[in-house]
Structure formats: structure tokens, C-alpha cells
Amino acid sequence: MQAEDAPGEIEMKWESTLRQLSVGQRIAAIIALLLLPMAVLSFASVAVLDAQETAFRESVEESVHTLLPLTTLEHYLQRALVDELEAQSNASVPNFAALTQSIDQSFAAIAYPSHGAALQRGQISSAQQAWVTARPSVQRLVEQVRSLHPHNDQASEAMARNELQIAINDISQARQQLAAAVEARYLKAMAARRAQLNWLIASWVITLSIAAMLIMIFLQSLLRPIKTLAKVAHRLGAGETGVRAPVIGQDELTLLAERFNDMAAYWEATRKSLLTEVAQDPLTHTLNRRGILAALEGALAEHARQRSPISVLMIDLNRFKAINDHYGHAAGDRALIWVATQIRNLLRTGDHLGRYGGDEFLAVLPATDAEQAQQIAQRMSHAIAEAAAREAAYPAVSVGVATAPTDSWDPTALIHAADMALYQNKGRQRSGPSSLETRLA
């Protein structure tokens, strides 16, 4: 169970910590978590892509400057071979010496790169070795071109052709080796660029995932108390009592929860007071007609399920109108209060007493059969009659008894049976003059 509760406890600690901040501060933090990572990653992405563009441009330029002299020299030598050294026909001769010097400078630049992106060493060595082999032939070719004239013999022409072919083969080999080195460097650079792009994508995914998780935590600290407050309000609106919103942190939602709890407590106190006023007789402080009927219906339903007896007493004040007429209505009110107090003192714990109407009271006696109810009624009549004999303004009472299930399980029928028994008792009491009438006379 502790292992299951651990995530919830951690979440509550996070919420409690975050709710030390105000709602505005947390919203600002959410905006910052959303914008700052995107801004940083955008600048980083622009920097990486710009660096890749610069490196690619430099790679292309280096490739051109590296391969162009060899390619040009090879092209000119092939033309010379085809044209049988155009110098013999007094045509212009290519500047082989300048090309040779340019190739030497290219290999020197490759050996000492300016931006640190060196080519493959093995392939450079092979290309450079091929150029070293070809260079004497090219140098001799240059010397021969300078000394050639239209009247050279065939032996010189054959030697020139042979020298040209050797130089072309060596330079072609050097160019191929150098091209392979340039291609290998390009592939390596492309792999590095792909790795940078993969790293950049991973950085976006990780950073945005962390930012989204933090944003969810901040949003949860805002939404959870609102949802909790809504649930508490729903339960309170459904009539449930004792429901309170949890008070966590020091933010505006905490203050709202505190004020809500205060209102809930005030509402419950007001509701209790109103229910008391609705169900209580303001004069005698017993249940009023509505309250005693509700108590009777509930007791009847419970005892009907248990199949146990329940009795009611219909109690009426004797000669109450005479007290009102002789002593006034204030004395009549005091008589009602006095009788209610006497009855309450004679009833047991768990019995219900209510003012049924005018000068009539209804008592509900749970788990009481007819014989027990008759005994209680007789004891009540005798005790109140003895107490009333000492005070002229206090009346005696008449009591009618009815019992369920003997009389009925229906509350209306049961009250009617008790009322009929009450009037039978009152009829027997009227056969002789009462002590009250004697005292009033």
C-alpha cells in the first residue's frame, strides 16, 4: 500500500511546493517554459545550419581548387598528344610551367589545410606520389616544347609522344587518387552533418519533452484545486454535510478554498437552523406537526421492516379554552409550555413528542406494544393531573392510544385511531365536573 501511495504523495508535495507561488507567477513560468527552450533551440539550429552551409561551401571551393589544376594539365597534355605538339605548327603552347606550379601549391595546401578539414592521408599520399612521378615528365615536356621548331626530326617527335603519354598516365592516376580523397572527405563531412542534424533533432525532442512535462506539472497545480473545489461544491449542493475543500499552499486558490469552507460552514449552520425552525414548534420547543409526522413515518417504516410494535399517544389539554378565556392567552401559552415540559419528562429516551395542532400533542413510542403504551398513558394522565391540581392555570390532559400493527401501519389511520381513543376518554371525563371548572367557578 505504501508503494502505491508513494506517487500520490510525491505529486502532492510537488503541488504543495508549486502552490507557494501565485497563479500569475505559475502562468509566467508556463510561458517561459514554452518560449525559452524554443528560442534557445532556434538559435542553436540556425548556428548549426549556418556552420554546415559554410563548411559545404568551403568543401566545394577546396575540391575545385584541388582538382582543377590536375584536370586542366591532363586536358592540355591530351590535346598536345592529339595535335602532335601544336608548337610544331606554330600554334600557341599552354603554360605548362604555371600549371605545374599551381599543382605543387595545391598539394602544399592539402598538406597544411587552412581550416583543419584534412583529406584522407593515404589517398593524399598516393595522389602526391603519382604527381611526383609525373612531374619530371611534365618538366621535360616543358623543356622540349621550348626547344621544338618546325624542322625537328621524327625521332624527336616519337620521344615527345612517349613523354606525353607517360605524363598523361601519371597525371590521370594522380587526379583519380586525389578525386577519391576529395570524395572520401565529402562523405565524411556529410556523415558529420547527419550526426549534427540527428543531435539537433534529439535536442529538440528531449528539451520539448522536459518542457511539456514541467508545463503539465504547473498546469496540474492550477487545475487540480479547481477540479477539487468543483467536486466539493457538487457534493455540498447534493445536501452532503461536513464536506470541505483541502487547503494547500498560499496562492489565490488557497484563499478561495478557505473562503469556500467558511461559506460551507455558514451554509450548514444556517441550514441546520432553518431545519430546526421548520421542524420545531417555536412556543413549546417540541416538534411541530410536520416534524412529528416525519418522525412517525420514519419510525413506522423501520418497525414495519423489523415487524416490531410501535405506539402513538394523542394528548389533548382539558378545558384549555376556559384557561384562555379566564386568564388570557398568555396564560394559555404558559399552560402549553408547562404541559409540554411535563410530557417530555415522562417520556423515555428515543420517544418523539410534537405539537400536533392547537392544544393537542402527539407522542411516538418506538418498540412499544399496546399494553406498555396504556401504562405510559395512564402514568402521564395521573402525574399531570396531580401537578395541575396545585395550580389553577394548569390543565390536566386526556390521552388516546393506538398501536401498530394492531390498529394499522398507515400513519394517518394510526393517528385517527389514537384520536378516536382520545375522544372516548374525554367523553368519560365529561360525565363529572372537573376540578378545574370548580376552581374557575
Side-chain angles (χ1 to χ4, degrees):
M1 180 63 75
Q2 292 179 353
E4 294 178 357
D5 294 340
E9 293 178 0
I10 293 174
E11 192 173 357
M12 290 301 295
K13 288 180 180 179
W14 268 101
E15 181 179 344
S16 178
T17 301
L18 291 176
R19 291 189 64 182
Q20 303 301 317
L21 303 175
S22 67
V23 173
Q25 289 173 331
R26 275 176 283 168
I27 292 176
I30 291 173
I31 295 174
L33 287 171
L34 184 63
L35 296 182
L36 286 180
M38 295 184 65
V40 172
L41 288 173
S42 297
F43 283 120
S45 301
V46 170
V48 170
L49 294 176
D50 185 62
Q52 288 189 353
E53 181 183 359
T54 301
F56 179 76
R57 184 172 60 251
E58 291 178 354
S59 176
V60 171
E61 291 176 357
E62 183 180 14
S63 301
V64 172
H65 292 316
T66 301
L67 294 175
L68 186 60
L70 279 172
T71 304
T72 304
L73 180 59
E74 182 182 6
H75 171 70
Y76 283 152
L77 290 177
Q78 288 175 344
R79 281 182 56 191
L81 180 63
V82 173
D83 296 341
E84 297 180 355
L85 291 173
E86 291 183 351
Q88 296 185 24
S89 60
N90 294 325
S92 61
V93 177
N95 191 356
F96 293 113
L99 287 172
T100 301
Q101 184 179 4
S102 176
I103 295 170
D104 288 337
Q105 292 174 353
S106 295
F107 276 108
I110 294 171
Y112 302 99
S114 59
H115 47 75
L119 301 174
Q120 298 293 328
R121 289 300 175 190
Q123 294 169 326
I124 289 297
S125 298
S126 299
Q128 195 166 13
Q129 184 62 40
W131 167 244
V132 170
T133 302
R135 197 179 191 288
S137 300
V138 176
Q139 186 64 34
R140 287 192 300 271
L141 178 63
V142 172
E143 296 297 334
Q144 291 173 8
V145 169
R146 289 175 179 173
S147 62
L148 287 176
H149 53 80
H151 302 287
N152 281 349
D153 55 13
Q154 293 182 355
S156 298
E157 292 178 8
M159 183 181 65
R161 279 178 171 278
N162 186 46
E163 292 289 343
L164 275 173
Q165 188 62 56
I166 293 172
I168 289 171
N169 292 338
D170 291 339
I171 290 173
S172 176
Q173 182 181 0
R175 179 184 57 78
Q176 292 174 4
Q177 295 289 344
L178 193 58
V182 170
E183 182 182 5
R185 178 184 181 277
Y186 174 76
L187 294 177
K188 182 178 179 181
M190 288 299 296
R193 293 188 186 99
R194 282 195 295 269
Q196 287 179 337
L197 290 175
N198 291 335
W199 173 85
L200 197 60
I201 293 172
S203 299
W204 271 93
V205 172
I206 294 173
T207 304
L208 292 181
S209 298
I210 295 174
M213 182 179 66
L214 293 176
I215 288 172
M216 288 301 298
I217 292 174
F218 274 89
L219 285 176
Q220 192 73 2
S221 70
L222 292 172
L223 297 178
R224 183 193 295 275
I226 296 176
K227 292 180 179 178
T228 302
L229 194 62
K231 291 180 181 178
V232 172
H234 178 74
R235 292 170 61 188
L236 198 64
E240 189 174 347
T241 59
V243 182
R244 297 293 183 271
V247 179
I248 303 174
Q250 299 177 355
D251 59 353
E252 295 88 343
L253 296 175
T254 302
L255 181 62
L256 179 61
E258 291 175 349
R259 298 290 80 80
F260 179 86
N261 290 341
D262 292 341
M263 289 191 297
Y266 177 78
W267 175 82
E268 288 181 2
T270 304
R271 179 174 178 269
K272 184 177 180 181
S273 176
L274 290 174
L275 289 176
T276 301
E277 291 180 4
V278 168
Q280 190 179 71
D281 179 59
L283 178 62
T284 62
H285 300 293
T286 62
L287 295 174
N288 59 17
R289 184 187 184 96
R290 177 183 297 175
I292 193 62
L293 289 178
L296 175 60
E297 289 177 0
L300 282 172
E302 181 179 356
H303 285 70
R305 289 193 300 268
Q306 299 175 357
R307 308 305 298 176
S308 60
I310 179 173
S311 298
V312 296
L313 305 180
M314 182 65 74
I315 306 164
D316 182 72
L317 277 63
N318 297 335
R319 311 303 192 268
F320 180 70
K321 184 177 183 304
I323 294 175
N324 271 333
D325 293 342
H326 188 79
Y327 295 103
H329 290 286
D333 290 343
R334 287 193 296 270
L336 286 170
I337 296 172
W338 179 82
V339 169
T341 303
Q342 298 299 314
I343 296 173
R344 196 160 36 229
N345 292 336
L346 293 168
L347 292 176
R348 306 160 302 176
T349 303
D351 295 339
H352 306 284
L353 176 65
R355 187 179 176 187
Y356 188 71
D359 61 340
E360 289 185 330
F361 291 89
L362 181 66
V364 179
L365 311 178
T368 305
D369 58 22
E371 183 178 354
Q372 293 171 326
Q374 288 292 345
Q375 293 174 359
I376 293 173
Q378 292 174 5
R379 186 166 61 248
M380 183 181 297
S381 298
H382 293 157
I384 294 177
E386 290 178 1
R390 296 189 291 270
E391 176 61 50
Y394 289 161
V397 295
S398 298
V399 182
V401 179
T403 302
T406 303
D407 294 302
S408 177
W409 283 113
D410 180 69
T412 303
L414 193 63
I415 291 174
H416 179 70
D419 200 42
M420 294 300 296
L422 168 66
Y423 280 98
Q424 289 176 5
N425 291 335
K426 290 181 72 71
R428 286 193 296 268
Q429 290 174 2
R430 289 194 185 99
S431 61
S434 67
S435 59
L436 177 62
E437 288 178 328
T438 303
R439 284 178 290 175
L440 292 178

